[in-house]
Amino acid sequence: MRMIDRLREYVEDETPTGAVDALNAFADRLLSRYGELGGTARRVPAPTGDHVVADFPGRGPRAAEAPLLFLAHHDTVWPIGQLQDAMPWREQDGVIHGPGVFDMKGGLVVLETALEQVAGLDHRPVRVVVVADEEVGSPSARELVTAESAGVVAAFGLEPPHPNGDLKTSRRGSSRVRIEVTGREAHAALDPGTGVSAIDELLDQLIAVRALVSEYDDVLCNVGTITGGGRTNVVPGNASADLGFRFVDPETERAVLDAVKGLQPVRRDAVLEVSVMSNRPAWQPSEAADLLLAKVAEAGRSVGHEVGGAAASGAADTNLTGWLGVPTLDGLGPRGKGAHAVHEQVIAASLAERAALVAAIITTL
């Protein structure tokens, strides 16, 4: 099957984060596919959807060497129906459009094709981990990724590359934090003084967070959702916000998160609860990543591709392997643009280019 045809199948099988049945059905598809490719695959149950782990044996004199680890995910940010309503599959002028085509079902197809290409060639073993809740920080997969990275020689992510095709050599740390406020409801006109507005309290807390973040040059903070209240004539008794933080180093990460977790209510009788929903530690630049990039660049030249690398702002499961000290690179998915945007797309020709690069990595590292 052509790479583009398989990619279309995968994109049209919509798998939003949290859609357990859809994700598990896609996991079934991956289990079958990895079996066809000669791997031993298993599912790892999780409440957010099952993860998939597959081991492919090495061949020839390198069969007993430490494996390479490839990290991927099969969830997307798009709800079921996005394909029909707003982002139909479309091929035009060498560009493929569709929900999840870039982030990151294109990467799944790249890896499968590379595994086909190395069949019959000598190479070290390959281990694959495909996560079901990566788009919300992989909260159920952290222990799995940690366990499966033990003993590997290097880890590679199949996330999208930089716009020019460069790989990602480090990533900011990423944490999702929820601030929940409990106030006290009351009639907003007849008895406002007995009420405690959870929304007003939340707003003051968000202002405090902004002031805190402004003390650091390299911290990013995005208030992603706000909920609360119900009627304009009722003092709201509950409110909450989900925030996304990005950090360049673990020291700043600890300082900011400790300060946020230590927030205190401004209003008497307001109750404040701060929880960290997911955390990916900062993966900082390292000599190990530089050395790995040099080897990958050499592999790239063997198939006619120039490979560069640079730091990335976004987070992924490679944050964890890089933080753990495993030599790590990310961005082996196809070139394109529009991750998490309605113009999401990949350059069709880059699918084969990336598959050739991944195959060269498997056979030469």
Side-chain angles (χ1 to χ4, degrees), residues 159 168-173 247 282-284 312 314-316 318-319 330:
E159 295 281 356
K168 298 174 179 181
T169 56
S170 62
R171 287 184 176 276
R172 285 178 179 260
F247 307 99
W283 161 29
Q284 296 183 282
T318 45
N319 277 68
D330 206 341

Side-chain angles (χ1 to χ4, degrees), residues 302-324:
S302 73
V303 291
H305 301 312
E306 290 297 320
V307 179
S313 295
D317 289 326
T318 45
N319 277 68
L320 186 55
T321 56
W323 175 74
L324 288 169

Side-chain angles (χ1 to χ4, degrees), residues 60-146:
R62 309 187 64 197
E65 295 183 9
L68 299 174
L69 174 63
F70 287 89
L71 297 171
H73 63 89
H74 59 298
D75 63 322
T76 76
V77 300
W78 302 110
I80 290 176
Q82 185 76 10
L83 183 76
Q84 179 178 352
D85 296 340
M87 297 172 65
W89 170 274
R90 178 165 56 95
E91 295 180 59
Q92 184 176 0
D93 299 327
V95 177
I96 302 170
H97 303 256
V101 68
F102 185 50
D103 186 15
M104 64 166 294
K105 289 178 176 175
L108 291 171
V109 173
V110 163
L111 177 61
E112 291 178 17
T113 304
L115 290 169
E116 287 180 328
Q117 292 175 357
V118 302
L121 302 177
D122 292 346
H123 62 83
R124 65 172 69 237
V126 172
R127 182 175 301 156
V128 179
V129 177
V130 184
V131 170
D133 56 1
E134 190 277 339
E135 294 293 3
V136 292
S138 303
S140 72
R142 182 175 178 128
E143 291 183 4
L144 174 66
V145 173
T146 299

Side-chain angles (χ1 to χ4, degrees), residues 238-270:
N238 294 280
S240 67
D242 288 352
L243 292 73
F245 291 92
R246 307 281 177 159
F247 307 99
V248 295
D249 63 81
E251 293 76 22
T252 302
E253 178 181 20
R254 281 193 297 271
V256 171
L257 292 182
D258 285 347
V260 173
K261 288 186 288 186
L263 291 170
Q264 296 297 315
V266 175
R267 287 160 182 76
R268 183 178 179 180
D269 294 336

